[in-house]
Amino acid sequence: SAPRHHAAISTLHHLYPSFASACRLLKRWFSSHMLSSHLPVEFIELFMASIYVSPESFEAPSSAHTGFARALQRLAKWNWRDTPILVPLYTLTSGTNMEVSKRPTFPEAPQARAIKAFQDTRKVDREYLKQTMVIGTEEDLLGKAWLRDGQPSKLIASRVVMLAAAALQMLSAGTAPIEVS
């Protein structure tokens, strides 16, 4: 539900000072590539939340730029055809005294159900017409709460990965386009 999602995202804003700014950078990046109509804000927020709550051997980013760069890196390397992203968003926000240094984990039984559901969907939908990029939470194991069927299309999903790889390459080369106002 929207109120629960927004409460969880608000909690992330309080736990991680750079989260809000990193999220805005990522939303702006999607918007600048005219992808905002293909991916809802909540989906982008969940993606950024995955960078902060399950950063795969990294500590949570301490700056918005680091969060944004890690988001681009994850987008560029995300094999969305074979791998869902599972964000323990509500596990993190349901604890009364959650320590920022302690990483939440996706509960084991729901994780197994989410992966099985993802695999079952892929067996039936081999052309990725019903679902492409999947970001699940404990409350939304299928990752469909914020997306309509087929959203984003496989063309858009592939384009997001390509654009993220190109942006990451520009960042690592130390060159950025000059904006003339």
Side-chain angles (χ1 to χ4, degrees):
S1 73
R4 179 134 191 215
H5 169 83
H6 295 297
I9 293 299
S10 178
T11 300
L12 288 177
H13 288 292
H14 295 292
L15 287 175
Y16 305 105
S18 66
F19 177 79
S21 298
C23 215
R24 280 193 298 274
L25 282 172
L26 188 62
K27 289 174 189 177
R28 186 165 181 142
W29 182 83
F30 274 98
S31 178
S32 71
H33 292 291
M34 294 184 257
L35 295 167
S36 297
S37 62
H38 300 281
L39 290 161
V41 168
E42 293 85 359
F43 182 89
I44 297 168
E45 290 170 343
L46 284 175
F47 187 83
M48 185 56 79
S50 77
I51 302 301
Y52 279 79
V53 300
S54 53
E56 301 172 348
S57 80
F58 288 116
E59 289 297 317
S62 59
S63 74
H65 289 58
T66 301
F68 175 67
R70 287 187 192 167
L72 287 179
Q73 185 176 35
R74 180 171 282 174
L75 275 172
K77 294 181 179 186
W78 186 14
N79 180 1
W80 54 264
R81 290 172 177 88
D82 299 326
T83 311
I85 291 177
L86 301 176
V87 184
L89 186 63
Y90 303 109
T91 300
L92 171 75
T93 58
S94 65
T96 54
N97 290 322
M98 183 66 190
E99 296 176 35
V100 176
S101 60
K102 184 180 177 193
R103 294 281 171 229
T105 56
F106 207 92
E108 198 171 308
Q111 181 179 19
R113 287 195 310 272
I115 290 171
K116 180 169 178 6
F118 176 81
Q119 292 168 342
D120 291 346
T121 300
R122 288 301 194 238
K123 286 178 189 171
V124 177
D125 185 21
R126 294 186 187 273
E127 294 296 316
Y128 313 108
L129 299 174
K130 293 281 185 188
Q131 195 171 19
T132 54
M133 299 175 140
V134 174
I135 300 179
T137 66
E138 308 91 326
E139 300 291 319
D140 177 26
L141 297 178
L142 300 175
K144 291 186 173 187
W146 307 110
L147 300 173
R148 297 184 307 271
D149 264 1
Q151 184 186 29
S153 69
K154 61 184 173 182
L155 174 69
I156 297 297
S158 296
R159 177 63 68 183
V160 166
V161 170
M162 286 176 29
L163 288 169
L168 197 59
Q169 188 175 17
M170 287 183 71
L171 280 176
S172 64
T175 59
I178 299 171
E179 195 170 299
V180 179
S181 317

